[in-house]
Structure formats: structure tokens, C-alpha cells
Coordinates of all heavy atoms in Angstrom, one line a residue:
M22 N -3.9 21.1 -26.1 CA -4.2 22.5 -26.6 C -5.5 22.9 -26.5 O -6.5 22.2 -26.8 CB -3.6 22.5 -28.1 CG -2.2 22.5 -28.2 SD -1.6 24.0 -29.0 CE -2.0 23.6 -30.6
N23 N -5.6 24.2 -26.1 CA -7.0 24.8 -26.0 C -7.4 25.2 -27.5 O -6.6 25.8 -28.2 CB -7.0 26.0 -25.2 CG -6.9 25.6 -23.7 OD1 -7.3 24.5 -23.4 ND2 -6.2 26.4 -22.9
E24 N -8.7 24.9 -27.7 CA -9.3 25.5 -28.9 C -9.4 27.0 -28.7 O -9.7 27.5 -27.6 CB -10.8 25.1 -29.0 CG -10.9 23.7 -29.5 CD -11.0 23.7 -31.0 OE1 -11.9 24.3 -31.6 OE2 -10.1 22.9 -31.6
P25 N -9.0 27.8 -29.8 CA -9.1 29.3 -29.6 C -10.6 29.6 -29.5 O -11.3 29.1 -30.4 CB -8.5 29.8 -30.9 CG -8.4 28.6 -31.8 CD -8.4 27.4 -31.0
R26 N -11.0 30.4 -28.5 CA -12.4 30.7 -28.3 C -12.7 31.8 -29.4 O -12.0 32.8 -29.5 CB -12.7 31.1 -26.9 CG -13.4 29.9 -26.3 CD -14.1 30.5 -25.1 NE -13.2 30.9 -24.1 CZ -13.5 31.5 -22.9 NH1 -14.9 31.9 -22.7 NH2 -12.6 31.9 -22.0
P27 N -13.8 31.7 -30.1 CA -14.3 32.8 -31.0 C -14.5 34.0 -30.1 O -15.1 34.1 -29.1 CB -15.5 32.3 -31.6 CG -16.0 31.2 -30.8 CD -14.9 30.6 -30.0
V28 N -14.2 35.2 -30.7 CA -14.4 36.5 -30.2 C -15.8 36.9 -30.7 O -15.8 37.0 -31.9 CB -13.3 37.5 -30.4 CG1 -13.6 38.8 -29.8 CG2 -11.9 37.0 -30.0
L29 N -16.7 37.1 -29.7 CA -18.1 37.4 -30.3 C -18.3 38.9 -30.3 O -17.9 39.7 -29.4 CB -19.1 36.8 -29.3 CG -19.1 35.3 -29.3 CD1 -20.1 34.8 -28.4 CD2 -19.3 34.8 -30.7
R30 N -18.9 39.4 -31.4 CA -19.3 40.8 -31.5 C -20.7 40.9 -32.0 O -21.2 40.1 -32.6 CB -18.3 41.5 -32.5 CG -16.8 41.6 -32.1 CD -16.8 42.7 -31.0 NE -15.4 42.8 -30.5 CZ -14.9 42.3 -29.5 NH1 -15.7 41.4 -28.8 NH2 -13.6 42.4 -29.1
R31 N -21.3 42.1 -31.6 CA -22.7 42.2 -31.9 C -23.0 43.1 -33.2 O -22.3 44.1 -33.3 CB -23.4 43.0 -30.7 CG -24.9 42.8 -30.7 CD -25.5 43.4 -29.5 NE -25.2 42.7 -28.3 CZ -25.7 41.6 -27.8 NH1 -26.7 41.1 -28.5 NH2 -25.4 41.1 -26.7
C32 N -23.7 42.5 -34.1 CA -24.0 43.2 -35.4 C -24.9 44.5 -34.9 O -25.8 44.4 -34.1 CB -24.8 42.3 -36.3 SG -25.6 43.2 -37.6
V33 N -24.5 45.6 -35.5 CA -25.3 46.8 -35.2 C -26.6 46.9 -35.8 O -27.5 47.6 -35.4 CB -24.4 48.1 -35.7 CG1 -23.1 48.3 -35.0 CG2 -24.3 48.1 -37.2
A34 N -26.9 46.0 -36.8 CA -28.3 46.0 -37.4 C -29.2 45.0 -36.8 O -30.3 45.4 -36.2 CB -28.2 45.7 -38.9
C35 N -28.9 43.7 -36.7 CA -29.8 42.6 -36.1 C -29.5 42.3 -34.7 O -30.3 41.6 -34.1 CB -29.7 41.5 -37.0 SG -28.1 40.5 -37.0
R36 N -28.5 42.9 -34.1 CA -28.0 42.6 -32.8 C -27.7 41.2 -32.3 O -27.7 40.9 -31.2 CB -29.3 43.1 -31.8 CG -29.7 44.5 -32.1 CD -28.6 45.5 -31.4 NE -28.9 46.9 -31.8 CZ -28.1 47.9 -31.6 NH1 -27.0 47.8 -31.1 NH2 -28.4 49.1 -32.0
E37 N -27.5 40.4 -33.4 CA -26.9 39.1 -33.1 C -25.5 39.1 -32.6 O -24.7 39.9 -33.2 CB -27.0 38.2 -34.4 CG -28.3 37.9 -34.9 CD -28.9 36.5 -34.3 OE1 -28.4 36.1 -33.4 OE2 -29.9 36.1 -35.0
L38 N -25.2 38.2 -31.7 CA -23.7 38.0 -31.4 C -23.1 37.0 -32.3 O -23.6 35.9 -32.3 CB -23.7 37.6 -29.9 CG -23.6 38.6 -28.8 CD1 -23.7 37.9 -27.5 CD2 -22.4 39.5 -29.0
L39 N -22.1 37.4 -32.9 CA -21.5 36.4 -33.9 C -20.0 36.5 -33.7 O -19.4 37.4 -33.2 CB -21.9 36.8 -35.3 CG -23.3 36.5 -35.8 CD1 -23.7 37.2 -37.0 CD2 -23.6 35.0 -35.9
D40 N -19.3 35.4 -34.3 CA -17.9 35.3 -34.3 C -17.4 36.5 -35.2 O -17.8 36.8 -36.3 CB -17.5 34.0 -35.0 CG -15.9 33.8 -34.9 OD1 -15.1 34.7 -34.9 OD2 -15.6 32.6 -35.0
R41 N -16.4 37.2 -34.5 CA -15.9 38.5 -35.2 C -15.4 38.3 -36.5 O -15.6 39.1 -37.4 CB -14.7 38.9 -34.2 CG -14.2 40.3 -34.7 CD -13.2 40.9 -33.7 NE -12.1 39.9 -33.6 CZ -11.1 40.2 -32.8 NH1 -11.0 41.3 -32.1 NH2 -10.0 39.4 -32.8
Q42 N -14.9 37.1 -36.9 CA -14.4 36.8 -38.2 C -15.4 36.7 -39.2 O -15.1 36.8 -40.4 CB -13.6 35.5 -38.1 CG -12.6 35.5 -37.0 CD -11.5 34.5 -37.3 OE1 -11.5 33.5 -38.1 NE2 -10.4 34.7 -36.5
Q43 N -16.7 36.5 -38.8 CA -17.8 36.4 -39.8 C -18.4 37.8 -40.1 O -19.2 37.9 -41.0 CB -18.9 35.6 -39.3 CG -18.5 34.2 -39.2 CD -19.6 33.2 -38.4 OE1 -20.6 33.8 -38.0 NE2 -19.3 32.0 -38.3
L44 N -17.9 38.8 -39.3 CA -18.6 40.1 -39.4 C -17.7 41.1 -40.2 O -16.5 40.9 -40.2 CB -18.9 40.6 -38.2 CG -19.9 39.8 -37.2 CD1 -19.8 40.2 -35.8 CD2 -21.2 40.0 -37.9
W45 N -18.3 42.1 -40.8 CA -17.5 43.2 -41.3 C -17.3 44.1 -40.2 O -18.1 44.3 -39.3 CB -18.5 44.0 -42.3 CG -18.6 43.4 -43.7 CD1 -17.7 42.8 -44.4 CD2 -19.7 43.6 -44.5 NE1 -18.2 42.4 -45.6 CE2 -19.3 43.0 -45.8 CE3 -21.0 44.2 -44.4 CZ2 -20.3 42.9 -46.9 CZ3 -21.8 44.2 -45.5 CH2 -21.4 43.6 -46.6
R46 N -16.1 44.7 -40.2 CA -15.7 45.6 -39.2 C -15.5 47.0 -39.8 O -14.8 47.1 -40.7 CB -14.4 45.1 -38.5 CG -13.8 46.0 -37.5 CD -12.8 45.3 -36.7 NE -12.1 46.2 -35.8 CZ -10.9 46.6 -36.0 NH1 -10.1 46.1 -36.9 NH2 -10.4 47.4 -35.0
V47 N -16.2 48.0 -39.1 CA -16.0 49.4 -39.7 C -15.5 50.1 -38.4 O -15.9 50.0 -37.4 CB -17.4 50.0 -40.0 CG1 -17.2 51.4 -40.6 CG2 -18.2 49.1 -41.0
I48 N -14.4 50.8 -38.7 CA -13.6 51.4 -37.7 C -13.5 53.0 -37.9 O -13.3 53.5 -39.0 CB -12.1 51.0 -37.6 CG1 -12.1 49.5 -37.5 CG2 -11.3 51.5 -36.4 CD1 -12.0 48.7 -38.9
R49 N -13.7 53.6 -36.8 CA -13.5 55.1 -36.8 C -12.1 55.3 -36.4 O -11.8 55.4 -35.2 CB -14.5 55.8 -35.9 CG -14.3 57.3 -35.8 CD -15.3 57.9 -34.8 NE -15.1 59.3 -34.6 CZ -15.6 59.9 -33.6 NH1 -16.6 59.4 -32.8 NH2 -15.3 61.2 -33.4
D50 N -11.2 55.5 -37.3 CA -9.8 55.6 -37.1 C -9.5 57.0 -36.6 O -10.1 57.9 -36.9 CB -8.9 55.3 -38.3 CG -7.5 55.3 -38.1 OD1 -7.0 54.2 -37.4 OD2 -6.8 56.3 -38.3
H51 N -8.6 57.0 -35.6 CA -8.3 58.3 -35.0 C -7.8 59.4 -36.0 O -8.1 60.6 -35.9 CB -7.2 58.3 -33.9 CG -7.6 57.3 -32.7 ND1 -8.7 57.5 -32.1 CD2 -7.0 56.2 -32.3 CE1 -8.8 56.6 -31.2 NE2 -7.8 55.8 -31.2
R52 N -7.0 58.9 -37.0 CA -6.4 59.8 -37.9 C -7.1 59.8 -39.2 O -7.1 60.8 -39.9 CB -4.9 59.6 -38.0 CG -4.2 60.1 -36.7 CD -2.6 59.8 -36.9 NE -2.3 58.5 -37.1 CZ -1.0 58.0 -37.1 NH1 0.0 58.8 -37.0 NH2 -0.9 56.8 -37.2
E53 N -7.4 58.7 -39.7 CA -7.9 58.5 -41.1 C -9.4 58.6 -41.4 O -9.8 58.5 -42.5 CB -7.3 57.2 -41.7 CG -5.8 57.2 -41.8 CD -5.3 56.0 -42.5 OE1 -5.6 55.7 -43.6 OE2 -4.6 55.2 -41.7
G54 N -10.1 58.7 -40.2 CA -11.6 58.6 -40.4 C -12.1 57.2 -40.5 O -11.5 56.4 -40.0
V55 N -13.2 57.0 -41.1 CA -14.0 55.8 -41.1 C -13.4 54.8 -42.1 O -13.1 55.2 -43.3 CB -15.5 56.0 -41.5 CG1 -16.1 54.6 -41.4 CG2 -16.0 56.8 -40.3
L56 N -12.8 53.7 -41.7 CA -12.2 52.7 -42.4 C -12.9 51.3 -42.3 O -13.7 51.1 -41.4 CB -10.7 52.5 -42.1 CG -9.8 53.6 -42.0 CD1 -8.5 53.3 -41.3 CD2 -9.6 54.2 -43.5
L57 N -12.6 50.4 -43.2 CA -13.1 49.1 -43.2 C -12.0 48.0 -42.9 O -10.8 48.2 -43.5 CB -13.7 48.7 -44.5 CG -14.9 49.4 -44.9 CD1 -15.3 49.0 -46.5 CD2 -16.1 49.0 -44.0
D58 N -12.2 47.2 -42.0 CA -11.3 46.0 -41.7 C -10.0 46.4 -40.9 O -9.4 45.6 -40.3 CB -10.8 45.3 -43.0 CG -12.0 45.0 -43.9 OD1 -13.0 44.5 -43.4 OD2 -11.8 45.1 -45.1
R59 N -9.5 47.7 -41.0 CA -8.4 48.0 -40.3 C -8.5 49.4 -39.6 O -9.4 50.1 -39.9 CB -7.2 48.1 -41.3 CG -7.4 49.2 -42.4 CD -6.5 49.1 -43.5 NE -6.9 50.1 -44.4 CZ -6.3 51.5 -44.4 NH1 -5.4 51.7 -43.3 NH2 -6.6 52.4 -45.1
G60 N -7.6 49.6 -38.8 CA -7.6 50.9 -38.1 C -7.7 50.8 -36.6 O -7.9 49.7 -36.1
M61 N -7.4 51.9 -36.0 CA -7.5 51.9 -34.5 C -8.5 52.8 -34.0 O -8.6 54.0 -34.4 CB -6.1 52.5 -34.0 CG -5.0 51.6 -34.2 SD -4.9 50.2 -33.1 CE -4.5 51.1 -31.6
G62 N -9.4 52.4 -33.2 CA -10.5 53.2 -32.7 C -11.7 52.6 -32.5 O -11.7 51.2 -32.4
R63 N -12.8 53.3 -32.4 CA -14.1 52.7 -32.1 C -14.5 51.9 -33.3 O -14.4 52.3 -34.4 CB -15.1 53.9 -31.9 CG -16.5 53.4 -31.6 CD -17.4 54.6 -31.4 NE -17.2 55.3 -30.0 CZ -17.8 54.8 -28.9 NH1 -18.6 53.8 -29.0 NH2 -17.5 55.4 -27.7
S64 N -15.1 50.7 -33.0 CA -15.4 49.7 -34.1 C -17.0 49.4 -34.0 O -17.5 49.4 -32.9 CB -14.7 48.4 -34.0 OG -13.3 48.7 -34.1
A65 N -17.5 49.2 -35.2 CA -18.8 48.6 -35.3 C -18.8 47.3 -36.3 O -17.9 47.4 -37.1 CB -19.7 49.8 -35.9
Y66 N -19.6 46.4 -35.9 CA -19.6 45.2 -36.7 C -21.0 45.1 -37.3 O -22.0 45.5 -36.8 CB -19.4 44.0 -35.7 CG -17.9 44.1 -35.1 CD1 -17.7 44.9 -34.0 CD2 -16.9 43.4 -35.8 CE1 -16.5 45.0 -33.5 CE2 -15.7 43.5 -35.2 CZ -15.4 44.3 -34.1 OH -14.1 44.4 -33.6
L67 N -20.9 44.3 -38.5 CA -22.1 44.2 -39.3 C -22.1 42.9 -40.0 O -21.0 42.4 -40.6 CB -22.2 45.3 -40.3 CG -23.4 45.5 -41.1 CD1 -24.6 45.9 -40.2 CD2 -23.2 46.6 -42.2
C68 N -23.2 42.2 -40.1 CA -23.2 40.9 -40.7 C -23.0 41.2 -42.2 O -23.6 42.2 -42.8 CB -24.6 40.2 -40.6 SG -25.1 39.9 -39.0
P69 N -22.3 40.3 -43.0 CA -22.2 40.6 -44.5 C -23.4 40.0 -45.3 O -23.4 39.2 -46.0 CB -20.9 39.8 -44.8 CG -20.9 38.7 -43.7 CD -21.5 39.3 -42.6
T70 N -24.6 40.7 -45.0 CA -25.8 40.4 -45.6 C -26.5 41.6 -46.1 O -26.3 42.7 -45.5 CB -26.8 39.5 -44.7 OG1 -27.2 40.5 -43.7 CG2 -26.1 38.3 -44.1
E71 N -27.3 41.4 -47.2 CA -28.0 42.6 -47.6 C -29.1 43.1 -46.6 O -29.3 44.3 -46.5 CB -28.8 42.1 -48.8 CG -29.2 43.3 -49.8 CD -29.1 42.8 -51.3 OE1 -28.9 41.6 -51.6 OE2 -29.2 43.6 -52.1
A72 N -29.7 42.2 -45.8 CA -30.6 42.7 -44.8 C -30.1 43.6 -43.8 O -30.6 44.6 -43.5 CB -31.3 41.4 -44.2
C73 N -28.9 43.1 -43.3 CA -28.2 44.0 -42.2 C -27.6 45.2 -42.8 O -27.7 46.3 -42.1 CB -27.2 43.1 -41.5 SG -27.9 42.0 -40.4
L74 N -27.1 45.2 -44.0 CA -26.6 46.3 -44.5 C -27.7 47.4 -44.8 O -27.6 48.6 -44.5 CB -25.8 46.1 -45.9 CG -25.2 47.2 -46.6 CD1 -24.2 48.0 -45.7 CD2 -24.4 46.8 -47.9
D75 N -28.8 46.9 -45.3 CA -29.9 47.8 -45.6 C -30.4 48.3 -44.3 O -30.7 49.6 -44.2 CB -31.1 46.8 -46.0 CG -31.4 47.1 -47.6 OD1 -30.4 47.6 -48.2 OD2 -32.4 46.9 -48.0
E76 N -30.6 47.6 -43.2 CA -31.1 48.0 -41.9 C -30.1 49.1 -41.4 O -30.5 50.2 -40.9 CB -31.2 46.8 -41.0 CG -31.5 47.1 -39.6 CD -33.0 47.4 -39.4 OE1 -33.8 47.3 -40.3 OE2 -33.3 47.7 -38.2
A77 N -28.9 48.8 -41.5 CA -27.9 49.7 -40.9 C -27.9 51.0 -41.6 O -27.8 52.1 -41.1 CB -26.4 49.0 -41.1
R78 N -28.1 50.9 -43.0 CA -28.1 52.2 -43.8 C -29.3 53.0 -43.5 O -29.3 54.3 -43.3 CB -28.0 51.9 -45.3 CG -27.8 53.1 -46.2 CD -27.8 52.6 -47.6 NE -28.8 51.6 -47.9 CZ -28.9 50.8 -48.9 NH1 -28.1 50.9 -49.8 NH2 -30.0 50.0 -49.0
R79 N -30.5 52.3 -43.5 CA -31.8 53.1 -43.4 C -31.9 53.7 -41.9 O -32.4 54.8 -41.8 CB -33.0 52.1 -43.5 CG -33.3 51.9 -45.0 CD -34.6 51.2 -45.1 NE -34.5 49.8 -44.6 CZ -35.3 49.4 -43.7 NH1 -36.3 50.1 -43.1 NH2 -35.3 48.1 -43.2
R80 N -31.5 53.0 -40.9 CA -31.6 53.5 -39.6 C -30.3 54.1 -39.1 O -30.1 54.5 -37.9 CB -31.9 52.4 -38.6 CG -33.2 51.8 -39.0 CD -33.7 50.8 -37.9 NE -34.9 50.1 -38.3 CZ -36.1 50.7 -38.1 NH1 -36.3 51.8 -37.6 NH2 -37.2 50.0 -38.5
K81 N -29.2 54.3 -40.0 CA -28.0 55.0 -39.7 C -27.4 54.3 -38.4 O -26.9 55.0 -37.5 CB -28.2 56.5 -39.4 CG -28.8 57.1 -40.6 CD -28.6 58.6 -40.5 CE -29.3 59.5 -41.6 NZ -28.9 58.9 -43.0
R82 N -27.4 53.1 -38.4 CA -26.8 52.4 -37.3 C -25.3 52.6 -37.1 O -24.8 52.5 -36.0 CB -27.2 50.9 -37.3 CG -28.6 50.6 -37.1 CD -28.9 50.5 -35.6 NE -30.4 50.4 -35.4 CZ -31.0 49.2 -35.5 NH1 -30.4 48.1 -35.8 NH2 -32.3 49.2 -35.1
L83 N -24.6 52.5 -38.2 CA -23.2 52.8 -38.2 C -22.9 54.1 -37.7 O -21.9 54.3 -36.8 CB -22.5 52.4 -39.5 CG -22.5 51.0 -40.0 CD1 -22.1 50.9 -41.5 CD2 -21.7 50.1 -39.1
N84 N -23.5 55.2 -38.1 CA -23.3 56.5 -37.7 C -23.4 56.5 -36.0 O -22.7 57.1 -35.4 CB -24.2 57.4 -38.2 CG -24.1 57.6 -39.7 OD1 -23.4 56.8 -40.4 ND2 -24.7 58.6 -40.3
K85 N -24.4 55.8 -35.7 CA -24.8 55.9 -34.2 C -23.8 55.1 -33.4 O -23.2 55.6 -32.4 CB -26.2 55.4 -33.9 CG -27.3 56.4 -34.2 CD -28.6 55.7 -34.1 CE -29.7 56.7 -34.9 NZ -30.9 56.0 -35.0
A86 N -23.3 53.9 -33.9 CA -22.4 53.1 -33.2 C -21.1 53.8 -33.2 O -20.3 53.7 -32.2 CB -22.3 51.8 -33.9
L87 N -20.6 54.5 -34.3 CA -19.3 55.1 -34.3 C -19.4 56.5 -33.9 O -18.4 57.2 -33.8 CB -18.8 55.1 -35.7 CG -18.6 53.6 -36.3 CD1 -18.1 53.6 -37.8 CD2 -17.5 52.9 -35.4
R88 N -20.5 57.1 -33.7 CA -20.8 58.5 -33.2 C -20.1 59.4 -34.3 O -19.4 60.4 -33.8 CB -20.2 58.7 -31.8 CG -20.9 57.9 -30.8 CD -20.5 58.1 -29.4 NE -21.1 57.1 -28.5 CZ -20.5 56.8 -27.3 NH1 -19.5 57.3 -26.9 NH2 -21.2 55.8 -26.6
C89 N -20.2 59.2 -35.5 CA -19.8 60.1 -36.4 C -20.6 59.8 -37.8 O -21.3 58.9 -37.9 CB -18.3 59.9 -36.7 SG -17.8 58.4 -37.5
Q90 N -20.3 60.7 -38.8 CA -20.9 60.5 -40.1 C -20.1 59.4 -40.8 O -18.9 59.6 -41.0 CB -20.9 61.8 -40.8 CG -21.7 61.8 -42.2 CD -23.1 61.6 -42.0 OE1 -23.8 62.2 -41.1 NE2 -23.7 60.7 -42.8
V91 N -20.8 58.3 -41.2 CA -20.1 57.3 -42.0 C -20.3 57.7 -43.5 O -21.4 57.8 -44.0 CB -20.7 55.9 -41.7 CG1 -20.1 54.9 -42.7 CG2 -20.4 55.6 -40.4
P92 N -19.2 57.8 -44.2 CA -19.3 58.3 -45.6 C -20.0 57.3 -46.5 O -19.9 56.1 -46.3 CB -17.8 58.4 -46.2 CG -17.0 58.3 -44.9 CD -17.8 57.7 -43.8
D93 N -20.8 57.9 -47.5 CA -21.5 57.0 -48.5 C -20.6 55.9 -49.1 O -20.9 54.8 -49.5 CB -22.2 57.7 -49.5 CG -23.4 58.6 -48.9 OD1 -23.8 58.3 -47.8 OD2 -23.8 59.5 -49.6
S94 N -19.3 56.4 -49.3 CA -18.3 55.5 -50.0 C -18.1 54.2 -49.3 O -17.9 53.2 -49.7 CB -17.0 56.2 -50.3 OG -16.5 56.5 -49.0
V95 N -18.2 54.3 -47.9 CA -18.0 53.1 -47.1 C -19.1 52.1 -47.3 O -19.0 50.9 -47.5 CB -17.9 53.5 -45.6 CG1 -18.0 52.2 -44.7 CG2 -16.6 54.2 -45.3
I96 N -20.4 52.7 -47.3 CA -21.6 51.9 -47.6 C -21.4 51.3 -49.0 O -21.8 50.1 -49.1 CB -22.8 52.7 -47.4 CG1 -22.9 53.3 -46.0 CG2 -24.1 51.8 -47.6 CD1 -23.3 52.4 -44.8
A97 N -21.1 52.1 -49.9 CA -21.0 51.6 -51.3 C -20.0 50.6 -51.4 O -20.2 49.5 -52.1 CB -20.6 52.9 -52.2
T98 N -18.9 50.7 -50.8 CA -17.9 49.5 -50.7 C -18.4 48.2 -50.3 O -18.3 47.1 -50.8 CB -16.6 49.9 -49.9 OG1 -16.1 51.1 -50.5 CG2 -15.5 48.8 -50.0
L99 N -19.3 48.4 -49.1 CA -19.8 47.1 -48.6 C -20.9 46.6 -49.6 O -21.0 45.3 -49.7 CB -20.5 47.4 -47.3 CG -19.5 47.8 -46.2 CD1 -20.3 48.2 -44.9 CD2 -18.6 46.7 -45.9
Q100 N -21.6 47.4 -50.2 CA -22.6 46.9 -51.2 C -21.9 46.2 -52.4 O -22.3 45.2 -52.8 CB -23.4 48.0 -51.7 CG -24.7 48.2 -50.9 CD -25.5 49.4 -51.3 OE1 -25.0 50.4 -51.7 NE2 -26.7 49.3 -51.0
E101 N -20.7 46.8 -52.8 CA -19.9 46.1 -53.9 C -19.5 44.7 -53.3 O -19.5 43.8 -54.1 CB -18.8 47.0 -54.2 CG -18.9 47.9 -55.3 CD -17.8 48.9 -55.4 OE1 -16.6 48.6 -55.1 OE2 -18.1 50.1 -55.7
R102 N -19.1 44.6 -52.1 CA -18.6 43.3 -51.6 C -19.8 42.3 -51.8 O -19.5 41.2 -52.1 CB -18.1 43.5 -50.3 CG -16.8 44.0 -50.1 CD -16.3 43.9 -48.7 NE -15.2 44.8 -48.4 CZ -14.6 44.9 -47.3 NH1 -15.1 44.2 -46.2 NH2 -13.6 45.7 -47.1
L103 N -20.9 42.8 -51.5 CA -22.1 41.9 -51.4 C -22.4 41.4 -52.8 O -22.6 40.2 -53.1 CB -23.4 42.6 -50.9 CG -23.7 42.6 -49.5 CD1 -25.0 43.3 -49.1 CD2 -23.7 41.1 -48.9
S104 N -22.3 42.3 -53.9 CA -22.6 41.9 -55.2 C -21.5 41.0 -55.7 O -21.8 40.1 -56.4 CB -22.9 43.0 -56.1 OG -21.9 44.0 -55.9
F105 N -20.3 41.2 -55.2 CA -19.2 40.4 -55.6 C -19.5 38.9 -55.1 O -19.3 38.0 -55.8 CB -17.8 41.0 -55.1 CG -16.7 40.1 -55.5 CD1 -16.2 40.3 -56.8 CD2 -16.0 39.3 -54.7 CE1 -15.1 39.4 -57.3 CE2 -15.0 38.5 -55.1 CZ -14.5 38.6 -56.3
Q106 N -19.9 38.8 -53.8 CA -20.1 37.5 -53.3 C -21.2 36.8 -54.0 O -21.2 35.6 -54.3 CB -20.6 37.7 -51.8 CG -19.6 38.0 -50.8 CD -20.1 38.3 -49.5 OE1 -21.3 38.1 -49.2 NE2 -19.3 38.8 -48.6
R107 N -22.3 37.5 -54.4 CA -23.3 37.0 -55.1 C -22.8 36.5 -56.5 O -23.1 35.4 -56.9 CB -24.4 38.0 -55.4 CG -25.6 37.8 -54.6 CD -26.9 38.6 -55.2 NE -26.6 39.9 -55.6 CZ -26.7 41.0 -54.9 NH1 -27.1 41.0 -53.7 NH2 -26.3 42.2 -55.4
D108 N -22.0 37.3 -57.2 CA -21.6 36.9 -58.5 C -20.6 35.6 -58.5 O -20.6 34.9 -59.5 CB -20.9 38.0 -59.3 CG -21.8 39.3 -59.5 OD1 -23.1 39.0 -59.4 OD2 -21.5 40.3 -59.7
S109 N -19.9 35.5 -57.5 CA -18.9 34.5 -57.4 C -19.5 33.2 -57.0 O -18.9 32.2 -57.0 CB -17.7 34.8 -56.6 OG -18.3 35.1 -55.2
R110 N -20.8 33.1 -56.7 CA -21.4 31.9 -56.3 C -21.7 31.0 -57.4 O -22.0 31.5 -58.4 CB -22.7 32.2 -55.5 CG -22.5 31.7 -54.0 CD -23.8 32.1 -53.2 NE -23.4 32.8 -52.0 CZ -24.1 33.7 -51.4 NH1 -25.3 33.9 -51.8 NH2 -23.7 34.3 -50.4
Ligands
LIG26 ZN1 -26.7 41.4 -38.6

């Protein structure tokens, strides 16, 4: 049996190539707008770290990657996830 090969995606902030499963996925869905983890359309990937989220927010990397305005609520949700990860450690 073949090992499933990881699908590599580039983080929009640090530009590292990483296994897609380790990254957050932000999708510009055709109908619903910008979504996290699900949807059909242009996708941007981001490391689940404070450094990359900060960088992405300050330089508007997600907006540029998705070619649209990413709502603050999306960024806020990612920040919540980060603090949740911190608290559960
Ligand atoms: Zn990154």
C-alpha cells in the first residue's frame, strides 16, 4: 500500500510549504462569501500561529490571496481558536 502523500500548501504569511492538514483554510465561497474550513472557491492557507495570523492581518495577506475583503469576524474567529489552543494546553 502506498503511503498517502501529504498535500502541501503555502502559508500566506510566512510562505512556508506545509501539509494542508496543519494549516487553517480560508475560502472565498462563490455564494456565501469568506468561510473557514469549508466552501468552494479560491482558498488561502495560514499556519495556526499567532505570528502568522498577525502578519496576515497587518499586511492584509488574506485579502490579497483571496482578492476580496476578508471580514473582521473571520480574523476574530481565528484569534479565538488560538486562545482556545493556548488555554487547553
Ligand atoms: Zn505561516
Side-chain angles (χ1 to χ4, degrees):
M22 282 240 291
N23 286 330
E24 281 275 301
R26 256 199 291 171
V28 179
L29 298 181
R30 289 290 180 264
R31 197 176 295 278
C32 168
V33 295
C35 66
R36 305 286 173 186
E37 292 263 16
L38 272 177
L39 290 166
D40 186 334
R41 185 171 66 176
Q42 307 203 343
Q43 298 173 352
L44 297 165
W45 281 329
R46 179 166 170 248
V47 186
I48 305 97
R49 179 182 167 190
D50 186 80
H51 299 307
R52 284 186 297 188
E53 294 183 61
V55 179
L56 301 173
L57 293 173
D58 310 320
R59 66 192 178 86
M61 294 280 292
R63 181 178 283 275
S64 301
Y66 294 84
L67 190 65
C68 305
T70 65
E71 205 144 5
C73 285
L74 182 56
D75 254 24
E76 173 79 2
R78 189 181 42 192
R79 280 189 296 122
R80 299 186 186 279
K81 303 201 182 304
R82 290 280 174 80
L83 289 171
N84 293 13
K85 281 172 196 164
L87 297 175
R88 296 181 192 160
C89 71
Q90 185 67 41
V91 175
D93 290 344
S94 60
V95 169
I96 303 289
T98 302
L99 293 176
Q100 267 171 336
E101 265 166 39
R102 285 190 192 178
L103 271 184
S104 50
F105 183 74
Q106 282 171 9
R107 257 200 315 267
D108 294 347
S109 60
R110 239 174 241 154

